[in-house]
Amino acid sequence: MQPLDYYANNVTGTLTLLAAMDVASVKTLIFSSSATVYGNVQTMPLTEAHELLPATNPYGRSKLMVEWLLADLVVANPAWHIACLRYFNPVGAHESGLIGEAPCGVPNNLMPYLSDVAFGLRESLTIFGGDYPTPDGTGMRDYIHVMDLVEGHVAALKYLKNHSGLHTFNLGTGRGLSVLELVRAFETSTGQAVPFVIGPRRVGDVAACWADATSAYALLGWHTQRTLEDICRDTWRWVSEGRVDE
Ligand code: UDP
């Protein structure tokens, strides 16, 4: 963890951007927030009204600080039109197979690690924890196709045309999926084996986290369109055909 880098990038970076926008008289902004602002919550799904407690996670705290400063900003100056989008777990790739994620070094996140294993770049996936209080013991998350997420931004931008102030939305599918369920779905959709071992829990991980995305549907007219199978197939197309490894 690099707390100072998170704060410098997210907090100082946002302040610098807002100052530049002010000078240029641009007053419409979409902020990429994160479900990590909710912290370690026991009851799912999460609505936007839920208490915000990003436990001991500097990334989540830096996102929450930006949410607070944006809230202060719209009170001080009602000319701003700001959407705060709380992303759940973005995965997948562009349907063309030409745009996707290629993290430097060993991936931290599940999907890039899992797809590296399927591609034969890594031996096996370590599932972080098999003893969570979830139906199969593995952690549960709300995995959203990145192109659904993109469409959520377009919907938010349209909404901001007629709405000033700060508007916060969860962007997720509304469905929690376990690590094991994702592994099985990936194997079924792509025909590739994903060997795995169950390891210890990763420090800082919550057992489960998924969205109540009804507000985005009600106000933005947006909901996810792509299936878990789409997520797996598009990830695999990118990894096996589009990605160029260095
Ligand atoms: N995970 C895992 N093995 C990995 C990476 C992640 O079992 O190599 C699990 C992690 O414990 C969590 C889920 O996969 O339950 C999603 O983790 P990720 O890092 O992708 O996103 P996070 O929800 O932590 O932001």
Side-chain angles (χ1 to χ4, degrees):
M1 272 191 212
Q2 292 152 321
L4 297 185
D5 286 349
Y6 286 128
Y7 292 121
N9 193 67
N10 292 339
V11 182
T12 312
T14 302
L15 285 171
T16 307
L17 175 66
L18 289 169
M21 290 175 73
D22 209 19
V23 170
S25 296
V26 177
K27 294 268 188 305
T28 301
L29 177 73
I30 293 183
F31 173 56
S32 304
S33 191
S34 164
T36 54
V37 297
Y38 294 113
N40 197 355
V41 181
Q42 308 298 329
T43 46
M44 294 296 140
L46 290 158
T47 69
E48 291 83 355
H50 205 284
E51 191 185 5
L52 304 175
L53 287 170
T56 53
N57 178 335
Y59 170 76
R61 284 188 208 251
S62 71
K63 289 286 180 186
L64 186 52
M65 282 182 190
V66 176
E67 290 202 11
W68 283 334
L69 78 85
L70 295 176
D72 288 342
L73 178 63
V74 297
V75 171
N77 185 346
W80 283 90
H81 298 231
I82 302 178
C84 170
L85 304 182
R86 294 185 182 145
Y87 301 178
F88 280 67
N89 285 59
V91 286
H94 190 263
E95 285 91 354
S96 65
L98 297 175
I99 312 171
E101 61 177 328
C104 300
V106 181
N108 284 318
N109 296 116
L110 177 60
M111 196 50 132
Y113 202 106
L114 183 163
S115 52
D116 269 8
V117 172
F119 197 52
L121 288 179
R122 302 181 197 282
E123 210 169 300
S124 70
L125 170 73
T126 301
I127 296 181
F128 297 144
D131 58 352
Y132 282 109
T134 58
D136 66 21
T138 66
M140 295 179 76
R141 296 289 185 276
D142 186 335
Y143 297 96
I144 172 172
H145 194 298
V146 66
M147 295 310 295
D148 277 327
L149 197 67
V150 168
E151 289 165 9
H153 289 65
V154 176
L157 207 51
K158 285 184 183 153
Y159 184 80
L160 290 180
K161 270 188 186 278
N162 303 315
H163 295 86
S164 59
L166 176 66
H167 305 275
T168 301
F169 298 101
N170 285 337
L171 294 189
T173 64
R175 178 177 167 214
L177 200 76
S178 76
V179 178
L180 270 176
E181 285 177 308
L182 184 62
V183 169
R184 297 299 181 218
F186 193 91
E187 291 185 322
T188 305
S189 304
T190 66
Q192 305 299 314
V194 181
F196 66 84
V197 292
I198 307 271
R201 295 181 182 189
R202 182 170 63 179
V203 176
D205 274 0
V206 297
C209 178
W210 67 89
D212 177 328
T214 51
S215 178
Y217 185 53
L219 296 175
L220 306 181
W222 170 92
H223 61 94
T224 56
Q225 311 256 9
R226 291 156 182 87
T227 64
L228 180 56
E229 200 178 346
D230 294 331
I231 286 174
C232 296
R233 279 209 297 244
D234 292 339
T235 301
W236 182 243
R237 190 177 301 115
W238 156 247
V239 168
S240 60
E241 296 171 23
R243 189 175 68 175
V244 180
D245 292 308
E246 292 181 1

Short mmCIF file of all heavy atoms in Angstrom, two decimals, residues 52-102:
data_model
loop_
_atom_site.label_atom_id
_atom_site.label_comp_id
_atom_site.label_asym_id
_atom_site.label_seq_id
_atom_site.Cartn_x
_atom_site.Cartn_y
_atom_site.Cartn_z
N LEU A 52 -20.69 5.47 5.27
CA LEU A 52 -19.42 5.31 4.56
C LEU A 52 -18.28 5.14 5.56
O LEU A 52 -18.03 6.01 6.38
CB LEU A 52 -19.16 6.54 3.68
CG LEU A 52 -20.26 6.83 2.68
CD1 LEU A 52 -20.00 8.13 1.93
CD2 LEU A 52 -20.44 5.69 1.69
N LEU A 53 -17.62 4.01 5.47
CA LEU A 53 -16.57 3.67 6.45
C LEU A 53 -15.43 2.91 5.77
O LEU A 53 -15.36 1.69 5.90
CB LEU A 53 -17.14 2.71 7.51
CG LEU A 53 -18.09 3.21 8.56
CD1 LEU A 53 -18.66 2.03 9.30
CD2 LEU A 53 -17.37 4.13 9.52
N PRO A 54 -14.57 3.56 5.04
CA PRO A 54 -13.55 2.79 4.33
C PRO A 54 -12.45 2.30 5.28
O PRO A 54 -11.29 2.60 5.12
CB PRO A 54 -13.01 3.78 3.31
CG PRO A 54 -13.18 5.09 3.96
CD PRO A 54 -14.39 5.00 4.85
N ALA A 55 -12.83 1.56 6.28
CA ALA A 55 -12.00 0.92 7.29
C ALA A 55 -10.56 1.40 7.33
O ALA A 55 -10.27 2.54 7.70
CB ALA A 55 -12.09 -0.58 7.12
N THR A 56 -9.63 0.54 6.93
CA THR A 56 -8.22 0.90 7.05
C THR A 56 -7.58 0.97 5.67
O THR A 56 -6.42 0.62 5.48
CB THR A 56 -7.48 -0.15 7.89
OG1 THR A 56 -7.77 -1.42 7.31
CG2 THR A 56 -7.90 -0.10 9.33
N ASN A 57 -8.36 1.39 4.70
CA ASN A 57 -7.90 1.30 3.32
C ASN A 57 -7.64 2.71 2.76
O ASN A 57 -8.57 3.46 2.53
CB ASN A 57 -9.02 0.58 2.56
CG ASN A 57 -8.76 0.44 1.10
OD1 ASN A 57 -8.01 1.22 0.51
ND2 ASN A 57 -9.37 -0.54 0.50
N PRO A 58 -6.36 3.09 2.57
CA PRO A 58 -6.06 4.46 2.13
C PRO A 58 -6.65 4.79 0.76
O PRO A 58 -7.03 5.94 0.51
CB PRO A 58 -4.53 4.51 2.06
CG PRO A 58 -4.02 3.20 2.50
CD PRO A 58 -5.16 2.28 2.76
N TYR A 59 -6.76 3.79 -0.10
CA TYR A 59 -7.38 4.03 -1.41
C TYR A 59 -8.84 4.46 -1.22
O TYR A 59 -9.27 5.49 -1.75
CB TYR A 59 -7.30 2.75 -2.25
CG TYR A 59 -8.09 2.80 -3.52
CD1 TYR A 59 -7.64 3.52 -4.62
CD2 TYR A 59 -9.32 2.14 -3.62
CE1 TYR A 59 -8.39 3.58 -5.78
CE2 TYR A 59 -10.06 2.19 -4.78
CZ TYR A 59 -9.59 2.91 -5.86
OH TYR A 59 -10.35 2.95 -7.00
N GLY A 60 -9.57 3.68 -0.40
CA GLY A 60 -10.97 4.01 -0.14
C GLY A 60 -11.11 5.35 0.56
O GLY A 60 -11.99 6.15 0.24
N ARG A 61 -10.23 5.61 1.49
CA ARG A 61 -10.30 6.89 2.21
C ARG A 61 -10.04 8.06 1.27
O ARG A 61 -10.67 9.11 1.39
CB ARG A 61 -9.26 6.94 3.32
CG ARG A 61 -9.59 6.14 4.54
CD ARG A 61 -8.54 6.50 5.55
NE ARG A 61 -8.28 5.47 6.51
CZ ARG A 61 -8.65 5.56 7.79
NH1 ARG A 61 -9.30 6.60 8.21
NH2 ARG A 61 -8.34 4.61 8.62
N SER A 62 -9.08 7.90 0.37
CA SER A 62 -8.78 9.00 -0.55
C SER A 62 -9.98 9.26 -1.46
O SER A 62 -10.29 10.41 -1.79
CB SER A 62 -7.51 8.72 -1.37
OG SER A 62 -7.72 7.71 -2.32
N LYS A 63 -10.68 8.20 -1.87
CA LYS A 63 -11.89 8.37 -2.69
C LYS A 63 -12.97 9.09 -1.88
O LYS A 63 -13.67 9.97 -2.39
CB LYS A 63 -12.40 7.00 -3.15
CG LYS A 63 -11.53 6.33 -4.20
CD LYS A 63 -11.70 6.99 -5.55
CE LYS A 63 -10.84 6.35 -6.62
NZ LYS A 63 -10.90 7.06 -7.90
N LEU A 64 -13.10 8.71 -0.61
CA LEU A 64 -14.11 9.34 0.24
C LEU A 64 -13.80 10.82 0.47
O LEU A 64 -14.69 11.66 0.46
CB LEU A 64 -14.22 8.58 1.56
CG LEU A 64 -15.34 9.03 2.49
CD1 LEU A 64 -16.69 9.08 1.79
CD2 LEU A 64 -15.42 8.10 3.70
N MET A 65 -12.52 11.13 0.65
CA MET A 65 -12.14 12.53 0.82
C MET A 65 -12.57 13.35 -0.39
O MET A 65 -13.06 14.48 -0.26
CB MET A 65 -10.63 12.66 0.99
CG MET A 65 -10.16 12.30 2.37
SD MET A 65 -8.38 12.55 2.45
CE MET A 65 -8.06 11.78 4.01
N VAL A 66 -12.39 12.78 -1.57
CA VAL A 66 -12.79 13.52 -2.78
C VAL A 66 -14.31 13.68 -2.79
O VAL A 66 -14.83 14.75 -3.13
CB VAL A 66 -12.28 12.83 -4.06
CG1 VAL A 66 -12.81 13.55 -5.29
CG2 VAL A 66 -10.76 12.78 -4.08
N GLU A 67 -15.04 12.64 -2.39
CA GLU A 67 -16.51 12.78 -2.32
C GLU A 67 -16.88 13.93 -1.39
O GLU A 67 -17.78 14.72 -1.70
CB GLU A 67 -17.16 11.48 -1.83
CG GLU A 67 -17.08 10.35 -2.85
CD GLU A 67 -18.14 9.27 -2.61
OE1 GLU A 67 -19.05 9.51 -1.79
OE2 GLU A 67 -18.06 8.21 -3.26
N TRP A 68 -16.20 14.02 -0.26
CA TRP A 68 -16.51 15.10 0.69
C TRP A 68 -16.19 16.47 0.09
O TRP A 68 -16.96 17.40 0.24
CB TRP A 68 -15.69 14.91 1.97
CG TRP A 68 -16.23 13.86 2.87
CD1 TRP A 68 -17.52 13.42 2.97
CD2 TRP A 68 -15.47 13.11 3.84
NE1 TRP A 68 -17.60 12.44 3.92
CE2 TRP A 68 -16.38 12.23 4.48
CE3 TRP A 68 -14.13 13.08 4.22
CZ2 TRP A 68 -15.97 11.35 5.48
CZ3 TRP A 68 -13.74 12.21 5.22
CH2 TRP A 68 -14.66 11.35 5.84
N LEU A 69 -15.04 16.57 -0.57
CA LEU A 69 -14.70 17.89 -1.09
C LEU A 69 -15.64 18.30 -2.22
O LEU A 69 -15.99 19.47 -2.36
CB LEU A 69 -13.21 17.99 -1.45
CG LEU A 69 -12.59 17.41 -2.71
CD1 LEU A 69 -12.70 18.37 -3.86
CD2 LEU A 69 -11.12 17.12 -2.44
N LEU A 70 -16.13 17.32 -2.98
CA LEU A 70 -17.10 17.65 -4.03
C LEU A 70 -18.44 18.09 -3.41
O LEU A 70 -19.09 19.01 -3.91
CB LEU A 70 -17.32 16.44 -4.95
CG LEU A 70 -16.09 16.02 -5.78
CD1 LEU A 70 -16.39 14.75 -6.57
CD2 LEU A 70 -15.65 17.14 -6.72
N ALA A 71 -18.81 17.43 -2.30
CA ALA A 71 -20.05 17.81 -1.61
C ALA A 71 -19.94 19.25 -1.11
O ALA A 71 -20.90 20.03 -1.22
CB ALA A 71 -20.32 16.85 -0.45
N ASP A 72 -18.79 19.62 -0.57
CA ASP A 72 -18.58 21.00 -0.11
C ASP A 72 -18.63 21.98 -1.28
O ASP A 72 -19.19 23.07 -1.18
CB ASP A 72 -17.23 21.13 0.61
CG ASP A 72 -17.24 20.45 1.97
OD1 ASP A 72 -18.34 20.20 2.50
OD2 ASP A 72 -16.15 20.15 2.49
N LEU A 73 -18.04 21.55 -2.38
CA LEU A 73 -17.95 22.43 -3.55
C LEU A 73 -19.34 22.80 -4.09
O LEU A 73 -19.61 23.97 -4.36
CB LEU A 73 -17.13 21.73 -4.65
CG LEU A 73 -16.97 22.47 -5.96
CD1 LEU A 73 -16.20 23.77 -5.77
CD2 LEU A 73 -16.26 21.59 -7.00
N VAL A 74 -20.24 21.82 -4.21
CA VAL A 74 -21.56 22.13 -4.79
C VAL A 74 -22.41 22.98 -3.85
O VAL A 74 -23.30 23.70 -4.30
CB VAL A 74 -22.33 20.87 -5.22
CG1 VAL A 74 -21.59 20.12 -6.32
CG2 VAL A 74 -22.64 19.95 -4.05
N VAL A 75 -22.13 22.89 -2.55
CA VAL A 75 -22.86 23.76 -1.61
C VAL A 75 -22.37 25.20 -1.78
O VAL A 75 -23.16 26.15 -1.85
CB VAL A 75 -22.64 23.30 -0.14
CG1 VAL A 75 -23.20 24.33 0.83
CG2 VAL A 75 -23.30 21.94 0.08
N ALA A 76 -21.06 25.34 -1.92
CA ALA A 76 -20.48 26.68 -2.05
C ALA A 76 -20.81 27.31 -3.40
O ALA A 76 -20.96 28.52 -3.51
CB ALA A 76 -18.96 26.61 -1.86
N ASN A 77 -20.91 26.46 -4.44
CA ASN A 77 -21.15 26.98 -5.77
C ASN A 77 -22.12 26.07 -6.53
O ASN A 77 -21.73 25.06 -7.12
CB ASN A 77 -19.82 27.10 -6.54
CG ASN A 77 -20.01 27.76 -7.89
OD1 ASN A 77 -21.14 27.90 -8.37
ND2 ASN A 77 -18.91 28.15 -8.51
N PRO A 78 -23.40 26.45 -6.56
CA PRO A 78 -24.43 25.59 -7.16
C PRO A 78 -24.31 25.49 -8.69
O PRO A 78 -25.10 24.77 -9.31
CB PRO A 78 -25.74 26.27 -6.76
CG PRO A 78 -25.40 27.35 -5.80
CD PRO A 78 -23.95 27.67 -5.96
N ALA A 79 -23.35 26.19 -9.28
CA ALA A 79 -23.22 26.10 -10.74
C ALA A 79 -22.59 24.77 -11.18
O ALA A 79 -22.65 24.42 -12.36
CB ALA A 79 -22.36 27.27 -11.25
N TRP A 80 -22.00 24.05 -10.24
CA TRP A 80 -21.38 22.77 -10.62
C TRP A 80 -22.43 21.68 -10.84
O TRP A 80 -23.43 21.61 -10.12
CB TRP A 80 -20.42 22.30 -9.51
CG TRP A 80 -19.12 23.04 -9.51
CD1 TRP A 80 -18.83 24.18 -8.83
CD2 TRP A 80 -17.93 22.68 -10.23
NE1 TRP A 80 -17.53 24.57 -9.07
CE2 TRP A 80 -16.95 23.67 -9.93
CE3 TRP A 80 -17.58 21.65 -11.09
CZ2 TRP A 80 -15.67 23.63 -10.47
CZ3 TRP A 80 -16.31 21.61 -11.62
CH2 TRP A 80 -15.37 22.60 -11.32
N HIS A 81 -22.14 20.82 -11.82
CA HIS A 81 -22.97 19.63 -12.09
C HIS A 81 -22.02 18.44 -11.94
O HIS A 81 -21.18 18.20 -12.81
CB HIS A 81 -23.51 19.64 -13.52
CG HIS A 81 -24.41 20.81 -13.83
ND1 HIS A 81 -25.66 20.64 -14.40
CD2 HIS A 81 -24.27 22.15 -13.65
CE1 HIS A 81 -26.23 21.81 -14.57
NE2 HIS A 81 -25.40 22.75 -14.13
N ILE A 82 -22.17 17.69 -10.87
CA ILE A 82 -21.19 16.62 -10.59
C ILE A 82 -21.89 15.29 -10.34
O ILE A 82 -22.84 15.21 -9.56
CB ILE A 82 -20.31 16.99 -9.38
CG1 ILE A 82 -19.59 18.32 -9.64
CG2 ILE A 82 -19.30 15.88 -9.09
CD1 ILE A 82 -18.73 18.81 -8.49
N ALA A 83 -21.39 14.25 -11.00
CA ALA A 83 -21.86 12.89 -10.71
C ALA A 83 -20.72 12.13 -10.05
O ALA A 83 -19.57 12.19 -10.49
CB ALA A 83 -22.27 12.18 -12.00
N CYS A 84 -21.07 11.45 -8.98
CA CYS A 84 -20.09 10.63 -8.28
C CYS A 84 -20.52 9.19 -8.50
O CYS A 84 -21.58 8.77 -8.04
CB CYS A 84 -20.14 11.03 -6.81
SG CYS A 84 -19.23 9.95 -5.77
N LEU A 85 -19.71 8.45 -9.26
CA LEU A 85 -20.10 7.08 -9.62
C LEU A 85 -19.28 6.09 -8.80
O LEU A 85 -18.04 6.07 -8.89
CB LEU A 85 -19.88 6.85 -11.12
CG LEU A 85 -20.61 7.86 -12.04
CD1 LEU A 85 -20.36 7.52 -13.51
CD2 LEU A 85 -22.11 7.90 -11.74
N ARG A 86 -19.97 5.32 -8.00
CA ARG A 86 -19.26 4.33 -7.16
C ARG A 86 -19.20 3.01 -7.92
O ARG A 86 -20.21 2.29 -8.01
CB ARG A 86 -19.98 4.17 -5.82
CG ARG A 86 -19.90 5.44 -4.98
CD ARG A 86 -20.50 5.26 -3.60
NE ARG A 86 -20.43 6.51 -2.87
CZ ARG A 86 -21.34 6.94 -2.01
NH1 ARG A 86 -22.40 6.18 -1.74
NH2 ARG A 86 -21.20 8.09 -1.38
N TYR A 87 -18.01 2.74 -8.46
CA TYR A 87 -17.82 1.52 -9.25
C TYR A 87 -17.76 0.32 -8.31
O TYR A 87 -17.08 0.37 -7.29
CB TYR A 87 -16.49 1.52 -9.99
CG TYR A 87 -16.21 2.63 -10.96
CD1 TYR A 87 -14.98 2.66 -11.61
CD2 TYR A 87 -17.14 3.62 -11.27
CE1 TYR A 87 -14.66 3.65 -12.52
CE2 TYR A 87 -16.82 4.62 -12.18
CZ TYR A 87 -15.58 4.63 -12.80
OH TYR A 87 -15.25 5.62 -13.69
N PHE A 88 -18.38 -0.76 -8.73
CA PHE A 88 -18.16 -2.01 -8.01
C PHE A 88 -16.93 -2.69 -8.65
O PHE A 88 -15.89 -2.04 -8.70
CB PHE A 88 -19.48 -2.80 -7.90
CG PHE A 88 -20.28 -2.21 -6.76
CD1 PHE A 88 -20.81 -0.92 -6.84
CD2 PHE A 88 -20.41 -2.89 -5.57
CE1 PHE A 88 -21.46 -0.32 -5.76
CE2 PHE A 88 -21.07 -2.30 -4.48
CZ PHE A 88 -21.58 -1.02 -4.58
N ASN A 89 -16.97 -3.90 -9.13
CA ASN A 89 -15.72 -4.51 -9.64
C ASN A 89 -15.72 -4.56 -11.17
O ASN A 89 -16.26 -5.50 -11.76
CB ASN A 89 -15.56 -5.92 -9.08
CG ASN A 89 -15.14 -5.92 -7.62
OD1 ASN A 89 -15.84 -5.37 -6.77
ND2 ASN A 89 -13.99 -6.49 -7.33
N PRO A 90 -15.09 -3.56 -11.81
CA PRO A 90 -15.07 -3.56 -13.27
C PRO A 90 -14.19 -4.68 -13.82
O PRO A 90 -13.06 -4.87 -13.37
CB PRO A 90 -14.47 -2.19 -13.64
CG PRO A 90 -14.50 -1.38 -12.38
CD PRO A 90 -14.41 -2.37 -11.27
N VAL A 91 -14.73 -5.41 -14.77
CA VAL A 91 -13.99 -6.52 -15.40
C VAL A 91 -14.37 -6.57 -16.88
O VAL A 91 -15.15 -5.73 -17.34
CB VAL A 91 -14.33 -7.89 -14.74
CG1 VAL A 91 -13.68 -8.03 -13.37
CG2 VAL A 91 -15.83 -8.08 -14.63
N GLY A 92 -13.84 -7.55 -17.61
CA GLY A 92 -14.16 -7.66 -19.03
C GLY A 92 -13.26 -6.77 -19.86
O GLY A 92 -12.26 -6.23 -19.37
N ALA A 93 -13.61 -6.63 -21.11
CA ALA A 93 -12.79 -5.86 -22.04
C ALA A 93 -13.71 -5.40 -23.16
O ALA A 93 -14.85 -5.86 -23.27
CB ALA A 93 -11.68 -6.74 -22.61
N HIS A 94 -13.19 -4.50 -24.03
CA HIS A 94 -13.99 -4.07 -25.17
C HIS A 94 -14.29 -5.28 -26.07
O HIS A 94 -13.44 -6.16 -26.25
CB HIS A 94 -13.20 -3.01 -25.97
CG HIS A 94 -14.03 -2.34 -27.01
ND1 HIS A 94 -14.01 -2.73 -28.34
CD2 HIS A 94 -14.92 -1.32 -26.93
CE1 HIS A 94 -14.85 -1.98 -29.03
NE2 HIS A 94 -15.41 -1.11 -28.19
N GLU A 95 -15.52 -5.30 -26.61
CA GLU A 95 -15.96 -6.47 -27.39
C GLU A 95 -15.06 -6.76 -28.58
O GLU A 95 -15.01 -7.90 -29.07
CB GLU A 95 -17.40 -6.28 -27.88
CG GLU A 95 -18.48 -6.44 -26.81
CD GLU A 95 -18.86 -5.15 -26.08
OE1 GLU A 95 -18.20 -4.10 -26.34
OE2 GLU A 95 -19.78 -5.19 -25.24
N SER A 96 -14.37 -5.76 -29.09
CA SER A 96 -13.47 -5.96 -30.25
C SER A 96 -12.29 -6.86 -29.90
O SER A 96 -11.64 -7.41 -30.78
CB SER A 96 -12.92 -4.61 -30.73
OG SER A 96 -12.09 -4.06 -29.70
N GLY A 97 -12.00 -6.97 -28.62
CA GLY A 97 -10.79 -7.71 -28.20
C GLY A 97 -9.54 -6.87 -28.33
O GLY A 97 -8.42 -7.35 -28.11
N LEU A 98 -9.70 -5.58 -28.68
CA LEU A 98 -8.52 -4.73 -28.92
C LEU A 98 -8.17 -3.83 -27.74
O LEU A 98 -7.08 -3.27 -27.68
CB LEU A 98 -8.75 -3.86 -30.17
CG LEU A 98 -8.91 -4.64 -31.47
CD1 LEU A 98 -9.26 -3.70 -32.61
CD2 LEU A 98 -7.63 -5.42 -31.78
N ILE A 99 -9.12 -3.67 -26.81
CA ILE A 99 -8.84 -2.81 -25.65
C ILE A 99 -9.16 -3.60 -24.39
O ILE A 99 -10.26 -4.14 -24.26
CB ILE A 99 -9.69 -1.52 -25.65
CG1 ILE A 99 -9.66 -0.83 -27.01
CG2 ILE A 99 -9.21 -0.55 -24.56
CD1 ILE A 99 -10.65 0.33 -27.13
N GLY A 100 -8.21 -3.64 -23.48
CA GLY A 100 -8.42 -4.35 -22.24
C GLY A 100 -7.38 -3.94 -21.23
O GLY A 100 -6.61 -3.01 -21.47
N GLU A 101 -7.36 -4.62 -20.10
CA GLU A 101 -6.37 -4.23 -19.09
C GLU A 101 -5.16 -5.15 -19.14
O GLU A 101 -5.27 -6.35 -19.37
CB GLU A 101 -6.99 -4.22 -17.69
CG GLU A 101 -7.53 -5.53 -17.21
CD GLU A 101 -8.07 -5.47 -15.78
OE1 GLU A 101 -7.54 -4.69 -14.97
OE2 GLU A 101 -9.03 -6.21 -15.50
N ALA A 102 -3.99 -4.54 -18.92
CA ALA A 102 -2.73 -5.29 -18.91
C ALA A 102 -1.89 -4.74 -17.77
O ALA A 102 -1.00 -3.91 -17.97
CB ALA A 102 -2.01 -5.14 -20.25
#
